């Protein structure tokens, strides 16, 4: 019984650690986006009339949104707790 409790605590700790790491990664990516994209816009406006900086802004922005959805636990494709249900399902099969 004590081993189950310890394993459960370790599992919860690892899941919490992964979530904190994902959120930390998201904020680092957001900070880089907020620094790099305006810099690219500045370069773009000073060198050419074609707005090429919009392409990396949209591409990176899409990746940033997806990263944020993952980090904060929103998954529109699989629903809430889909991963947990699948893990339990596969554990019961074996």
């Amino acid at each position: 019984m004590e081993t189950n409790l310890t394993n459960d605590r370790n599992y919860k700790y690892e899941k919490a650690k992964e979530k904190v790491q994902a959120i930390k990664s998201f904020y680092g990516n957001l900070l880089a986006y907020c620094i790099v994209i305006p810099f690219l816009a500045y370069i773009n406006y000073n060198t050419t009339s074609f707005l090429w900086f919009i392409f990396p802004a949209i591409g990176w922005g899409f990746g940033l949104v997806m990263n944020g959805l993952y980090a904060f636990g929103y998954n529109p494709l699989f629903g809430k707790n889909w991963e947990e249900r699948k893990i339990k399902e596969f554990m019961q099969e074996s």
Side-chain angles (χ1 to χ4, degrees), residues 52-73:
W52 55 261
F53 87 93
I54 203 76
F55 298 110
I58 290 171
W60 193 353
F62 178 75
L64 188 61
V65 167
M66 298 309 289
N67 189 317
L69 292 175
Y70 172 77
F72 293 105

Side-chain angles (χ1 to χ4, degrees), residues 30-42:
L30 179 63
L31 178 64
Y33 182 86
C34 290
I35 292 170
V36 171
I37 295 301
F39 181 69
L40 290 177
Y42 175 77

Side-chain angles (χ1 to χ4, degrees), residues 1-92:
M1 184 70 175
E2 186 67 33
T3 306
N4 262 353
L5 187 59
T6 303
N7 287 342
D8 189 44
R9 285 183 186 157
N10 288 341
Y11 175 75
K12 286 181 179 181
Y13 175 79
E14 289 300 320
K15 291 299 279 184
K17 189 175 177 181
E18 287 176 13
K19 187 165 183 79
V20 167
Q21 185 61 36
I23 293 170
K24 183 178 169 185
S25 172
F26 168 73
Y27 283 127
N29 197 0
L30 179 63
L31 178 64
Y33 182 86
C34 290
I35 292 170
V36 171
I37 295 301
F39 181 69
L40 290 177
Y42 175 77
I43 291 171
N44 184 195
Y45 285 129
N46 287 323
T47 58
T48 183
S49 62
F50 178 69
L51 297 177
W52 55 261
F53 87 93
I54 203 76
F55 298 110
I58 290 171
W60 193 353
F62 178 75
L64 188 61
V65 167
M66 298 309 289
N67 189 317
L69 292 175
Y70 172 77
F72 293 105
Y74 180 72
N75 191 341
L77 297 177
F78 298 112
K80 191 173 182 175
N81 297 324
W82 176 84
E83 185 177 339
E84 290 295 323
R85 287 193 313 266
K86 280 299 185 185
I87 289 172
K88 288 179 183 177
E89 178 184 319
F90 290 136
M91 288 176 64
Q92 288 176 353

